[in-house]
């Protein structure tokens, strides 16, 4: 009797558009999809192999796992929605001070905005059906005492990585990925949620702007989402890159 | 730059300037369009728009009566991206009078935003780019977009 086919944990692909790429994780259960026509394919594969050997290492220090060595690393801790302006303005100033292009700074800042919002507003209530979505108009939403989220950035010569972590570990990767996929399949407009908490297109905007997405979840303990942005490329070149995607769960 | 909306009337046209970041803190007040036949939205000074801002924008723009002529002027790239990505970002019949197109110089790495105007750099769904865009060194700059995607909203207008 032939042995059942085992799905590779790293899928090496070429030319997949975002919806198809996401389908490989959602429907085919690959953990990593690296595209040969994506940014720094070989490095992306090495990172995937490293994560498969030590997923806890990624969740402990995702920037170190993704980049290995970096030219700089800056971190901002936050405990409430009130700190969003402070964190994002500081992040933008840091990037502009390092002479990254205006278009890249704007893209990174928007992704940071969406991830911050997710960490503060969505993460505390995700998977808890009895809790209502938190209105984005609510003046102040705070994490519990002793808990904090973190935005961090680091870069080497060819990649800038933005990471956002929260202390809840409540993200459901399947739901998150499916929501992004729907945005690409049906258009973002169809995904907008009129009432309640978020608008429903934040994850779509995040994946649209980065060239590689890492989703790491340690249930009940931490969620870490990392976005990779290619350096030394024009906006058009960045937009043309095929994407990589990774899903890590402890 | 803090979010703000300022409007003033010129004849039967309401000219509205929107500035700053459009997000969950943006307070979109209703426009007083009594006696107006058209509304012009000048978006040049919008610096950013996030997902919640997009939702708030759509709710607000839906309140502009469909009987009025709605003109959008000086759309920055982030707004053009939303127009292309999010159906309903602009109501049916809204006219884009001008928008910015990013240019990039490979050698210097410089970026520049160039204003495209209706009737000059675009007519209907067709693009007529300016002949020569140069950076601070005089080197030629190229359009820094995937044209089929960036100009898609013009084909759909």
């Amino acid at each position: 009797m032939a042995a059942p086919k085992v799905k590779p944990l790293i899928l090496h692909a070429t030319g997949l558009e975002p919806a198809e790429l996401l389908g490989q994780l959602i429907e085919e259960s690959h953990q990593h999809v690296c595209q040969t026509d994506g940014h720094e394919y070989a490095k992306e594969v090495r990172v995937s192999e490293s994560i498969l050997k030590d997923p806890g290492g990624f969740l402990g220090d995702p920037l170190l796992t993704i980049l290995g060595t970096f030219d700089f690393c800056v971190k901002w801790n936050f405990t409430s929605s009130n700190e969003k302006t402070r964190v994002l303005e500081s992040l933008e100033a840091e990037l502009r001070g390092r002479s990254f292009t205006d278009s890249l700074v704007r893209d990174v800042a928007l992704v940071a905005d969406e991830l911050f919002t997710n960490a503060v507003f969505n993460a505390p209530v995700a998977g808890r059906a009895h809790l209502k979505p938190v209105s984005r108009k609510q003046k102040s939403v705070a994490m519990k005492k002793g808990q904090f989220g973190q935005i961090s950035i680091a870069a080497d010569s060819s990649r800038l990585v933005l990471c956002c972590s929260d202390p809840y570990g409540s993200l459901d990767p399947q739901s998150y990925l499916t929501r992004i996929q729907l945005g690409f399949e049906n258009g973002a407009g169809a995904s907008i949620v009129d009432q309640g908490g978020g608008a429903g297109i934040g994850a779509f905007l995040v994946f649209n702007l980065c060239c590689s997405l890492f989703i790491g979840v340690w249930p009940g303990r931490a969620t870490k989402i990392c976005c990779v942005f290619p350096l030394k490329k024009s906006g058009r070149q960045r937009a043309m890159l095929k994407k990589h995607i990774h899903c890590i769960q402890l | 730059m803090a979010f703000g909306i300022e409007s003033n009337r010129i004849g039967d046209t309401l000219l509205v300037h929107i500035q700053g970041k459009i997000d969950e803190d943006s307070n979109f007040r209703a426009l007083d369009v009594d006696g107006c036949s058209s509304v012009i939205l000048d978006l040049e000074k919008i610096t950013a728009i996030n997902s919640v801002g997009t939702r708030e924008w759509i709710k607000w723009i839906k309140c502009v009566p469909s009987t009025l002529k709605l003109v959008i002027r000086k759309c920055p790239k982030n707004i053009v991206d939303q127009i292309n990505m999010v159906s309903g970002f602009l109501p049916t019949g809204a006219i884009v009078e001008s928008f910015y197109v990013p240019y990039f110089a490979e050698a210097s790495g410089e970026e520049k935003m160039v204003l495209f105007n209706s009737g000059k750099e675009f007519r209907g769904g067709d693009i007529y780019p300016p002949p020569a865009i140069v950076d601070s060194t005089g080197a030629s700059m190229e359009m820094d977009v995937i044209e089929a995607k960036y100009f898609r909203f013009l084909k759909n207008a």
Side-chain angles (χ1 to χ4, degrees), chain A residues 183 187-190 204-205 208, chain B residues 78 80-87 152:
Chain A
F204 167 82
L205 292 178
N208 194 48
Chain B
N78 49 30
V80 174
D81 288 341
Q82 294 301 318
I83 294 171
N84 281 318
M85 274 195 298
V86 182
S87 65
R152 184 169 57 212

Side-chain angles (χ1 to χ4, degrees), chain A residues 84 88 101-103 106 110 113-114 136-137 188-189 192-193 197-199 201 204-205 208 234-236 240, chain B residues 21 24 26 47 49-52 54-56 58-59 82 85-87 104 106 109 111 143-146:
Chain A
K84 183 174 168 184
L88 295 186
T101 60
D102 185 63
S103 63
R106 287 175 188 268
L110 178 56
D113 183 314
E114 298 294 344
R136 300 302 185 259
K137 293 283 187 188
I192 288 189
V193 175
I201 59 169
F204 167 82
L205 292 178
N208 194 48
S234 67
R236 178 187 159 94
M240 289 181 69
Chain B
K21 184 177 179 183
E24 56 276 7
S26 302
T47 55
I49 179 167
N50 67 9
S51 58
V52 178
T54 295
R55 180 179 66 186
E56 297 304 304
I58 290 173
K59 277 158 59 173
Q82 294 301 318
M85 274 195 298
V86 182
S87 65
F104 181 76
E106 192 75 48
E111 296 179 326
M143 219 184 284
D144 194 18
V145 294
I146 299 174

Side-chain angles (χ1 to χ4, degrees), chain A residues 10-12 21 32-36 38-52 58 65-67 156 158-161 207 210-215 226-230 242-247:
Chain A
I10 304 175
L11 177 69
H12 302 264
L21 175 72
H32 304 268
V33 185
C34 301
Q35 300 214 71
T36 60
H39 186 62
E40 297 283 21
Y41 163 68
K43 287 182 183 174
E44 205 77 8
V45 172
R46 280 201 298 276
V47 172
S48 303
E49 289 166 347
S50 167
I51 292 173
L52 285 172
F58 170 84
T65 302
I66 294 171
L67 290 173
D156 62 14
S158 66
R159 296 168 296 166
L160 174 80
V161 184
F207 193 50
C210 67
C211 71
S212 179
L213 179 67
F214 291 78
I215 301 164
C226 299
C227 301
V228 181
F229 299 86
K242 291 293 183 272
K243 298 179 190 291
H244 314 289
I245 191 160
H246 313 264
C247 189

Side-chain angles (χ1 to χ4, degrees), chain A:
Chain A
M1 188 169 87
K5 254 189 169 174
V6 175
K7 290 223 167 82
L9 296 174
I10 304 175
L11 177 69
H12 302 264
T14 302
L16 293 183
E17 294 300 329
E20 300 166 279
L21 175 72
L22 290 155
Q24 293 298 328
L25 256 70
I26 296 166
E27 289 131 33
E28 301 295 328
S29 305
H30 301 293
Q31 291 183 19
H32 304 268
V33 185
C34 301
Q35 300 214 71
T36 60
D37 46 355
H39 186 62
E40 297 283 21
Y41 163 68
K43 287 182 183 174
E44 205 77 8
V45 172
R46 280 201 298 276
V47 172
S48 303
E49 289 166 347
S50 167
I51 292 173
L52 285 172
K53 280 192 196 131
D54 182 15
F58 170 84
L59 283 157
D61 195 337
L63 293 175
L64 188 65
T65 302
I66 294 171
L67 290 173
T69 59
F70 29 83
D71 299 336
F72 73 92
C73 179
V74 186
K75 302 182 183 190
W76 296 267
N77 291 344
F78 56 89
T79 57
S80 84
S81 56
N82 289 342
E83 297 174 79
K84 183 174 168 184
T85 302
R86 170 186 70 81
V87 170
L88 295 186
E89 284 184 353
S90 185
L91 176 137
E92 258 196 71
E94 182 68 39
L95 292 174
R96 291 192 192 283
R98 294 184 183 274
S99 303
F100 291 112
T101 60
D102 185 63
S103 63
L104 181 66
V105 172
R106 287 175 188 268
D107 285 354
V108 175
L110 178 56
V111 169
D113 183 314
E114 298 294 344
L115 294 181
F116 183 107
T117 301
N118 193 61
V120 169
F121 287 96
N122 292 355
V125 300
R128 296 160 77 185
H130 61 287
L131 293 176
K132 286 184 193 167
V134 181
S135 168
R136 300 302 185 259
K137 293 283 187 188
Q138 195 162 318
K139 282 295 165 203
S140 179
V141 173
M143 293 178 176
K144 286 186 183 162
K145 194 175 173 186
Q147 291 182 322
F148 63 91
Q150 188 179 83
I151 293 263
S152 52
I153 52 170
D156 62 14
S157 59
S158 66
R159 296 168 296 166
L160 174 80
V161 184
L162 170 78
C163 181
C164 181
S165 64
D166 71 62
Y168 299 100
S170 58
L171 189 85
D172 175 5
Q174 284 285 329
S175 301
Y176 191 76
L177 294 170
T178 301
R179 182 158 279 286
I180 301 174
Q181 189 185 42
L182 286 173
F184 283 102
E185 284 181 341
N186 303 333
S191 299
I192 288 189
V193 175
D194 259 347
Q195 306 295 336
I201 59 169
F204 167 82
L205 292 178
V206 165
F207 193 50
N208 194 48
L209 288 172
C210 67
C211 71
S212 179
L213 179 67
F214 291 78
I215 301 164
V217 183
W218 186 356
R221 299 286 293 271
T223 297
K224 304 208 177 185
I225 299 187
C226 299
C227 301
V228 181
F229 299 86
L231 297 179
K232 297 172 188 162
K233 293 215 181 287
S234 67
R236 178 187 159 94
Q237 288 168 337
R238 294 201 301 272
M240 289 181 69
L241 287 166
K242 291 293 183 272
K243 298 179 190 291
H244 314 289
I245 191 160
H246 313 264
C247 189
I248 305 105
Q249 274 190 284
L250 283 189

